[in-house]
Amino acid sequence: MSFSGKYELHSQENFEPFMKAIGLPDEMIQKGKDIKSISEIEQNGKSFKVTVTTGSKVLVNEFTLDEEAELETLTGEKVKSVVKLEGNNRLVTNLKSIGSVTELSGDILTNVLTVGDLTYKRVSKRI
């Protein structure tokens, strides 16, 4: 299954408590909570380029499955991580203390981020 496409944020759960837990400043949390971000994924075999645009902030991560890559977190920190494909529709990685699972089901892209026992869920639809 190809992840390639553009996805618009449709809903999110636990945005504010999660962003506070990872250390984002309150001002950035308030700015970001109502913005519908756009995620664009370009997949070429095992290589991925993921661009997430939230207002004026653009986060770009490039990686190859099963190879170490430097990825930028939501706080702007760069961490080394390995992204793995589980099944044919689930990308899994750990960014330091944050676990990330991104699952594609039809036109719905669900991203679940976990830190400790706190979970942040984002649901985006293909546009």
Side-chain angles (χ1 to χ4, degrees), residues 9 11-12 37 39 52 109-112 120-124:
L9 181 65
S11 67
Q12 56 187 357
S37 67
S39 300
V52 180
L109 187 72
T110 304
N111 180 224
V112 177
Y120 167 47
K121 182 177 178 182
R122 299 168 42 93
V123 178
S124 301

Side-chain angles (χ1 to χ4, degrees), residues 7-127:
Y7 304 87
E8 182 177 33
L9 181 65
H10 181 65
S11 67
Q12 56 187 357
E13 299 167 15
N14 283 338
F15 175 80
E16 288 184 65
F18 184 85
M19 295 304 159
K20 276 190 194 322
I22 64 168
L24 223 56
D26 285 344
E27 178 186 310
M28 286 180 70
I29 293 171
Q30 292 308 312
K31 273 186 189 171
K33 71 177 184 177
D34 296 320
I35 296 174
K36 295 283 189 202
S37 67
I38 302 288
S39 300
E40 185 171 2
I41 301 174
E42 298 170 47
Q43 180 183 357
N44 184 1
K46 289 182 148 202
S47 296
F48 285 76
K49 180 178 181 183
V50 179
T51 306
V52 180
T53 305
T54 308
S56 61
K57 180 158 175 48
V58 179
L59 185 106
V60 179
N61 279 317
E62 295 187 51
F63 59 89
T64 300
L65 294 175
D66 303 318
E67 291 181 16
E68 188 175 75
E70 189 173 77
L71 302 175
E72 187 176 344
T73 69
L74 297 169
T75 59
E77 186 180 0
K78 301 221 184 245
V79 296
K80 294 201 181 294
S81 186
V82 176
V83 181
K84 298 193 174 292
L85 181 67
E86 290 184 355
N88 65 350
N89 67 334
R90 183 187 289 232
L91 298 170
V92 179
T93 192
N94 281 305
L95 302 167
K96 250 175 128 178
S97 61
I98 303 170
S100 173
V101 177
T102 303
E103 190 166 350
L104 181 62
S105 180
D107 286 337
I108 305 295
L109 187 72
T110 304
N111 180 224
V112 177
L113 299 172
T114 309
V115 63
D117 59 0
L118 190 58
T119 299
Y120 167 47
K121 182 177 178 182
R122 299 168 42 93
V123 178
S124 301
K125 289 186 177 174
R126 192 185 297 264
I127 52 175

